[in-house]
Amino acid sequence: MSPIASRRTSPPSAVAGVSLVELMISIVLGMLLIAALTTVFASTSAARNELERTSRQIENGRFAMELLSDDLRVAGFYGELNVKQLAVPAALPDPCSTTVSDWADAITIGVQAYDNGASKPTCIPSSW
């Protein structure tokens, strides 16, 4: 064999390994992949937080509607109060009163009304 032919072909053990350029390219590709995964993770996390906040707001609204509907369903119901046992007041209670005993006397009167005349309560503004 000639000396030129032996220089052109090198043994397989001398070719094995990674060059510096190949190493740098693989590091850059790995960093790009990690950056893409980080971006996907951040956007998914933000979307999940927004969805959780929206779900919490919907659940709070549903709870508030349930409380309101329960309260409205029993509006005007006095529970165990038997209004037949209460005495009817001798005179109409004052609608402007802030005394609890006046309210207790007015329970037997379901609806109170005043005409637009001189008997209008003083707590109602004159513009009404």
Side-chain angles (χ1 to χ4, degrees):
M1 197 191 256
S2 72
I4 295 175
S6 65
R7 275 192 256 155
R8 289 191 184 160
T9 59
S10 56
S13 62
V15 180
V18 179
S19 69
L20 183 60
V21 174
E22 291 172 340
L23 181 65
M24 291 175 61
I25 289 175
S26 65
I27 289 175
V28 168
L29 289 176
M31 289 174 53
L32 287 175
L33 184 64
I34 289 175
L37 288 175
T38 304
T39 304
V40 168
F41 177 75
S43 65
T44 303
S45 179
R48 185 193 58 80
N49 286 339
E50 184 67 27
L51 182 65
E52 183 179 343
R53 190 173 56 153
T54 303
S55 298
R56 193 177 316 125
Q57 193 171 22
I58 289 171
E59 183 61 31
N60 287 342
R62 187 176 296 133
F63 181 71
M65 288 297 292
E66 183 178 344
L67 282 180
L68 284 174
S69 65
D70 289 347
D71 285 346
L72 290 175
R73 195 172 292 119
V74 295
F77 180 69
Y78 298 117
E80 299 297 322
L81 177 67
N82 187 359
V83 291
K84 294 179 182 175
Q85 294 177 349
L86 296 176
V88 177
L92 288 175
D94 182 18
C96 298
S97 174
T98 57
T99 308
V100 176
S101 63
D102 290 343
W103 296 347
D105 292 340
I107 285 178
T108 58
I109 302 171
V111 176
Q112 296 183 36
Y114 293 90
D115 60 1
N116 201 11
S119 63
K120 185 166 146 182
T122 57
C123 60
I124 297 177
S126 60
S127 62
W128 289 5

